[in-house]
Amino acid sequence: MRILVTGANGQLGNEMQVLAKENPQHTYYFTDVQELDICDKQAVWTYMAEKQIELVVNCAAYTAVDKAEDNQELAYKLNCEAPKQLASAAQANGAAMIQVSTDYVFDGTVHTPYTEDCDPCPDSVYGTTKLEGEKEVMNHCEQAVVIRTAWLYSTFGNNFVKTMIRLGKERDSLGVVFDQIGTPTYANDLARAIYDIINKGIVRGIYHFSNEGVCSWYDFTVAIHRLAGITTCKVKPLHTAEYPAKANRPAYSVLDKTKIKTTFDIEIPHWEESLKQCLIKLGMKNEE
């Protein structure tokens, strides 16, 4: 299969490149804005026709949650308009599409895991634009899969895990919110799930994927420091109100993964096991 992966320089895009070596049966076109500007409709349509793309995996997005509140136009362009063009071009070429979305399509006011049947109710520009992007993809491509994920981290780029390691080494104390609950997602695990979907065959629909288990950002940080062997920094729990941010965060955004596990026969590791694997790749001392 001829596969286009956009946003190839991001966390998920990089993991897709790593795992491509384990899936050599496909032909890959890994692009970022330098190779293909997905906001350029003509460029998207021309590229997909010329390369005879059979599947698009859109890993590109505007993910700066707070900045999106002030850059609504750019967030809309990248998170909604660009996926629409990718989906439309895919449909015109008889191709399928996998769109990556977010837990931010929910406001996080419930206290049971969100299923795909729950009504979306975003409470931020980022969440709103990502939800609109989901709708455009499902409306414009018959062979479409949307995967909502959460708390993504990896060995690539800047992310929460790397930041907590750096701050843990620099400071003797660190405050982290304890009243936002969710599940970390190792981008390598998400990439593996995407390859499972590709290889087993697209089943149209919206799916949820994160690692198994539940924690707060505070719990996550404590685990990062423990597993990385950082003992000189005391992690203190903070209320969200003590850490003001421009965009609202979901207080509870645990995703129910039953649908993706049963549809594609996918096994998902617990978040702490995946964190260990990531830290090993980062060369960190593993305490367990």
Side-chain angles (χ1 to χ4, degrees), residues 235-247:
V235 183
K236 301 176 181 178
L238 291 181
H239 291 91
T240 295
E242 297 176 81
Y243 193 83
K246 182 153 279 191

Side-chain angles (χ1 to χ4, degrees), residues 12-208:
L12 182 57
N14 267 299
E15 294 288 7
M16 290 292 293
Q17 293 189 65
V18 169
L19 293 178
K21 300 176 182 66
E22 298 178 16
N23 294 270
Q25 69 272 32
H26 304 298
T27 300
Y28 300 95
Y29 299 89
F30 291 102
T31 67
D32 216 287
V33 66
Q34 295 85 359
E35 297 82 23
L36 175 63
D37 181 358
I38 60 171
C39 293
D40 184 334
K41 177 182 177 180
Q42 190 59 50
V44 167
W45 282 68
T46 300
Y47 190 97
M48 290 182 63
E50 288 181 352
K51 304 294 187 185
Q52 297 178 306
I53 299 299
E54 297 171 274
L55 172 70
V56 180
V57 182
N58 183 28
C59 302
Y62 187 98
T63 57
V65 176
D66 288 321
K67 289 182 179 178
E69 296 295 314
D70 295 322
N71 294 296
Q72 296 187 29
E73 188 175 340
L74 181 57
Y76 181 85
K77 197 173 179 183
L78 269 167
N79 293 343
C80 180
E81 189 59 33
K84 175 184 176 181
Q85 294 308 326
L86 288 167
S88 299
Q91 180 69 17
N93 286 275
M97 180 167 174
I98 297 176
Q99 167 74 3
V100 180
S101 193
T102 175
D103 58 326
Y104 276 68
V105 301
F106 301 112
D107 64 7
T109 56
V110 303
H111 297 92
T112 54
Y114 284 99
T115 69
E116 294 82 356
D117 293 329
C118 293
D119 290 330
C121 44
D123 193 26
S124 64
V125 170
Y126 171 64
T128 300
T129 57
K130 289 296 288 182
L131 178 59
E132 289 303 310
E134 288 184 11
K135 293 176 181 177
E136 294 291 5
V137 170
M138 297 304 291
N139 286 340
H140 288 88
C141 182
E142 291 175 12
Q143 299 181 75
V145 162
V146 169
I147 305 175
R148 294 173 180 151
T149 192
W151 297 25
L152 202 66
Y153 70 92
S154 71
T155 59
F156 299 99
N158 297 316
N159 56 64
F160 186 82
V161 170
K162 288 185 174 181
T163 300
M164 292 304 104
I165 290 171
R166 175 176 58 79
L167 293 177
K169 291 179 175 180
E170 292 174 356
R171 301 181 184 180
D172 55 12
S173 68
L174 184 62
V176 185
V177 294
F178 76 96
D179 55 357
Q180 291 175 27
I181 309 299
T183 310
T185 306
Y186 183 26
N188 183 272
D189 291 333
L190 176 55
R192 286 187 185 280
I194 290 172
Y195 276 109
D196 278 339
I197 292 170
I198 293 170
N199 294 330
K200 292 173 181 177
I202 294 290
V203 179
R204 177 182 167 86
I206 295 173
Y207 300 88
H208 289 171

